[in-house]
């Protein structure tokens, strides 16, 4: 009875979702908690720039894994690799909860060196998970790939819900001695508790992967026991028997079915290249470009607009993955139209960020609604697109999922590095000040 419960498909779906949740929950948690810690750590408002660079360098992990696959095919133990990086993430999260506000003096200036180093380790793990978790999922049928992406969506949803309960970004303009000043309310619980939540979620993900590994090894042993052939009596090859009579070797050869020569199947078909390009573009926008300017596109409309965009947008992520479990769009034209529609909303959000601190419809309910809806639709469209492409590439084999992970990380890296100088060096985007009229005529 217990064995039947353990092998139930619903249990496997649950384990896969929680396993997938651990892939990007670390980076998502760091971004969500930024409004709380940015005013405490010495880097102040430059902290997002540091974090973007660290996440970009985290792509060294996928590069190393890809080189190992190329130079030593079949030598890399994927399960051991996943266990290793998950253990690294759990230890780093525990240290982060203890040392996140520890300051170190470097070249005469104070820096949160512990926070930055541990953030890099977490980013390294997240990036490496993309090229290790997905190839591992090749052991399962395609429907579990969609469950895996739902888990990745939960990695964004869970931190947002906890941050909402924490009270991130609550601000009120208070008049003091005739002047209006911003008053930031204290959070319901400190950042240390939030990082302990991250530790627990990573530990749960690691335990779920251990359970999946055990299920796979158990299933393999069961299959071997069932399929082990009974020993057959030895027959003299010079006198093979057929229907109780003797036949010659020549007759046996004539009766063997003719096997057509196998034609080599290449992965690099125009359709697969097209899917990988769409996947890279999707991740460049969703993981690199747009998150870097979300504050500029939302905060001019108020803190509540910013948090609604973050939370509802992250809810759209797993919702889109759930829809993909039942509605699988295979048309290349349809996928292209969906990507184009997502780019239209992305362009609108980029325009809002470029016009900050005075975007259109500022101070109106229409402006707030448009920016929130745009973030929801943008995130939902590209989340669905990524799940569908991952499912279609799953059908092309193990190597396809490896390249799927490579293009996910390459797109994210290109997006982050392309927007970084615009935000932090050339300062194309300008942030608004709280409780101040930023649009004086």
């Amino acid at each position: 009875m217990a064995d039947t419960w353990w092998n139930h498909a619903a249990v496997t779906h649950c384990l896969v979702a929680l396993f997938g949740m651990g892939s990007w929950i670390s980076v998502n948690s760091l971004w969500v908690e930024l409004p709380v810690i940015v005013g405490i750590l010495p880097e102040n408002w430059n902290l997002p720039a540091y974090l973007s660079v660290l996440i970009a360098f985290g792509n060294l992990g996928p590069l190393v894994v890809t080189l190992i696959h190329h130079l030593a095919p079949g030598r890399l133990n994927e399960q051991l690799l996943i266990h290793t990086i998950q253990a690294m993430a759990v230890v780093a999260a525990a240290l982060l909860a203890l040392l996140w506000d520890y300051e170190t003096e470097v070249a005469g200036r104070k820096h949160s060196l512990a926070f930055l180093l541990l953030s890099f380790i977490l980013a390294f793990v997240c990036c490496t998970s993309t090229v290790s978790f997905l190839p591992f999922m090749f052991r399962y049928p395609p429907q579990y790939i969609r469950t895996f992406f739902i888990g990745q969506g939960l990695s964004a949803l869970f931190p947002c819900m906890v941050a909402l309960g924490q009270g991130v970004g609550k601000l009120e303009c208070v008049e003091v001695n005739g002047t209006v000043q911003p008053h930031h309310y204290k959070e319901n619980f400190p950042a240390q508790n939030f990082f302990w939540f991250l530790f627990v979620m990573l530990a749960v993900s690691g335990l779920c992967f251990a359970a999946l590994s055990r299920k796979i090894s158990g299933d393999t042993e069961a299959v071997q026991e069932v399929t082990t052939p009974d020993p057959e009596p030895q027959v003299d090859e010079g006198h093979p028997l057929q229907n109780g009579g003797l036949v010659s070797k020549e007759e046996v050869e004539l009766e063997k079915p003719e096997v057509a020569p196998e034609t080599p199947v290449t992965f690099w078909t125009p359709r697969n290249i097209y899917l990988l390009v769409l996947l890279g573009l999707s991740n460049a926008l969703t993981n690199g470009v747009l998150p870097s300017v979300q504050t500029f596109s939302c905060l001019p409309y108020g803190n509540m607009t910013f948090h609604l965009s973050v939370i509802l947008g992250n809810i759209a992520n797993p919702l889109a993955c759930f829809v993909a479990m039942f509605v699988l769009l295979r048309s290349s034209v349809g996928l292209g139209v969906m990507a184009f529609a997502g780019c239209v909303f992305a362009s609108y959000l980029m325009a809002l960020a470029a016009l900050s601190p005075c975007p259109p419809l500022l101070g109106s309910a229409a402006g707030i609604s448009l920016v929130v809806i745009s973030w929801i639709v943008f995130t939902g469209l590209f989340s669905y697109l990524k799940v569908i492409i991952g499912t279609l590439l799953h059908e092309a084999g193990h190597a396809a999922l490896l390249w799927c992970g490579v293009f996910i990380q390459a797109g994210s890296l290109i997006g982050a590095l392309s927007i970084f100088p615009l935000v932090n060096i050339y300062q194309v985007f300008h942030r608004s000040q709280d409780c101040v009229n930023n649009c004086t005529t």
Side-chain angles (χ1 to χ4, degrees), residues 33 36 160-170 184-194:
E33 194 66 4
V36 173
C160 284
M161 300 306 294
V162 174
L164 184 63
Q166 187 183 21
V168 178
K170 289 187 177 179
H184 297 271
Y185 285 93
K186 192 175 182 64
E187 296 82 21
N188 295 327
F189 53 87
Q192 184 180 36
N193 292 10
F194 183 89

Side-chain angles (χ1 to χ4, degrees), residues 329-349:
L329 179 63
R330 293 180 174 272
S331 169
S332 298
V333 176
L335 294 175
V337 171
M338 184 171 292
F340 177 77
C343 288
V344 170
F345 284 97
S347 300
Y348 175 71
L349 295 171

Side-chain angles (χ1 to χ4, degrees), residues 243-292:
N243 297 328
L246 292 174
V247 294
S248 65
K249 288 184 179 180
E250 290 76 9
E251 291 173 322
V252 173
E253 293 295 330
L254 288 174
E255 293 186 6
K256 286 183 178 179
E258 295 184 2
V259 180
E262 294 184 359
T263 57
V265 179
T266 178
F267 165 70
W268 297 102
T269 62
R271 175 175 169 79
N272 287 343
I273 294 174
Y274 170 73
L275 293 177
L276 289 174
V277 170
L278 284 184
L279 187 65
L281 172 65
S282 302
N283 284 275
L285 294 175
T286 57
N287 297 340
V289 177
L290 268 299
S292 300

Side-chain angles (χ1 to χ4, degrees), residues 135-426:
F136 171 80
M137 289 305 301
F138 180 67
R139 295 167 169 83
Y140 291 90
Q143 61 266 27
Y144 289 102
I145 290 287
R146 297 192 281 273
T147 303
F148 175 82
F149 279 109
I150 289 178
Q152 282 197 329
L154 294 177
S155 73
L157 176 62
F158 286 169
C160 284
M161 300 306 294
V162 174
L164 184 63
Q166 187 183 21
V168 178
K170 289 187 177 179
L171 172 70
E172 184 176 315
C173 298
V174 180
E175 187 172 347
V176 179
N177 298 328
T179 60
V180 178
Q181 297 180 1
H183 177 70
H184 297 271
Y185 285 93
K186 192 175 182 64
E187 296 82 21
N188 295 327
F189 53 87
Q192 184 180 36
N193 292 10
F194 183 89
F195 292 131
W196 281 122
F197 152 79
L198 173 61
F199 165 79
V200 172
M201 290 293 100
L202 289 170
V204 169
S205 178
L207 292 174
C208 289
F209 176 70
L212 287 172
S213 300
R214 185 176 179 182
K215 282 173 66 69
I216 288 178
S217 60
D219 293 344
T220 302
E221 292 176 0
V223 169
Q224 288 177 347
E225 291 179 2
V226 172
T227 58
T228 300
D230 294 330
E232 296 180 0
Q234 297 293 326
V235 178
D236 185 3
E237 292 182 358
H239 303 279
L241 294 173
Q242 186 174 16
N243 297 328
L246 292 174
V247 294
S248 65
K249 288 184 179 180
E250 290 76 9
E251 291 173 322
V252 173
E253 293 295 330
L254 288 174
E255 293 186 6
K256 286 183 178 179
E258 295 184 2
V259 180
E262 294 184 359
T263 57
V265 179
T266 178
F267 165 70
W268 297 102
T269 62
R271 175 175 169 79
N272 287 343
I273 294 174
Y274 170 73
L275 293 177
L276 289 174
V277 170
L278 284 184
L279 187 65
L281 172 65
S282 302
N283 284 275
L285 294 175
T286 57
N287 297 340
V289 177
L290 268 299
S292 300
V293 299
Q294 187 168 19
T295 51
F296 299 101
S297 66
C298 297
L299 278 178
Y301 295 95
N303 284 357
M304 182 56 67
T305 304
F306 175 63
H307 285 288
L308 285 175
S309 299
V310 171
I311 294 170
L312 296 180
N314 282 293
I315 290 175
N317 188 339
L319 182 61
C321 297
F322 181 76
V323 172
M325 294 187 69
F326 304 98
V327 182
L328 185 62
L329 179 63
R330 293 180 174 272
S331 169
S332 298
V333 176
L335 294 175
V337 171
M338 184 171 292
F340 177 77
C343 288
V344 170
F345 284 97
S347 300
Y348 175 71
L349 295 171
M350 285 295 294
L352 293 182
L355 295 172
S356 175
C358 299
L361 301 176
L362 186 63
S364 67
I368 294 174
S369 300
L370 277 175
V371 67
V372 172
I373 292 173
S374 295
W375 272 106
I376 294 173
V377 176
F378 162 76
T379 306
L381 286 175
F382 278 117
S383 296
Y384 178 84
L385 189 67
K386 288 187 284 187
V387 175
I388 294 300
I389 293 176
T391 303
L392 295 178
L393 290 177
H394 176 276
E395 300 171 357
H398 181 276
L401 286 183
L402 176 64
W403 282 109
C404 177
V406 169
F407 270 75
I408 287 174
Q409 292 311 119
S412 302
L413 176 63
I414 293 172
L417 293 182
S418 63
I419 197 65
F420 178 82
L422 298 178
V423 175
N424 298 284
I425 299 176
Y426 299 108

Side-chain angles (χ1 to χ4, degrees), residues 409-440:
Q409 292 311 119
S412 302
L413 176 63
I414 293 172
L417 293 182
S418 63
I419 197 65
F420 178 82
L422 298 178
V423 175
N424 298 284
I425 299 176
Y426 299 108
Q427 297 181 348
V428 174
F429 307 96
H430 307 280
R431 64 180 288 257
S432 60
Q433 297 181 354
D434 298 326
C435 302
V436 173
N437 184 6
N438 295 279
C439 303
T440 55

